[in-house]
Amino acid sequence: ECKTSLVLDASSNLTSKRLHKSGWRKEDIHVPNLCDDAFEVLKDSEYCTAHHCTVSTFIKKCKEQKIFEFGLVYLDYCSPPE
């Protein structure tokens, strides 16, 4: 069972908090967010691992690192992917 997740989340951390409470580890909840203000909050979160980039850039980085499997992908609409 793959426990790596890709989640769009805002500074409120609502989705990451719910996943964390459901047993997902911070190290396995990856949240790309290009918004400077949101990233500043997310990078210090106890619920997720934040990445200061777009979803597209994060996926490209995963491909380069040979990470091809996610147990969960949750991409609600926040803004255009680029």
Side-chain angles (χ1 to χ4, degrees):
E1 177 179 313
C2 180
K3 281 285 196 176
T4 303
S5 65
L6 166 57
V7 177
L8 284 186
D9 216 349
S11 58
S12 60
N13 241 237
L14 295 177
T15 304
S16 299
K17 283 180 190 175
R18 177 60 68 186
L19 288 172
H20 194 263
K21 287 180 182 180
S22 297
W24 292 72
R25 298 180 317 145
K26 170 185 172 142
E27 297 79 19
D28 295 329
I29 303 170
H30 297 277
V31 179
N33 196 311
L34 193 57
C35 176
D36 294 334
D37 293 338
F39 177 73
E40 285 302 312
V41 174
L42 291 167
K43 73 176 185 169
D44 297 324
S45 170
E46 63 185 281
Y47 303 108
C48 70
T49 303
H51 303 271
H52 196 226
C53 61
T54 64
V55 172
S56 298
T57 299
F58 179 77
I59 291 171
K60 287 176 190 173
K61 288 179 183 179
C62 289
K63 184 178 176 183
E64 291 168 3
Q65 296 175 16
K66 308 277 191 246
I67 300 169
F68 298 115
E69 186 175 355
F70 291 93
L72 172 75
V73 176
Y74 182 74
L75 305 174
D76 61 340
Y77 182 81
C78 294
S79 62
E82 289 295 332

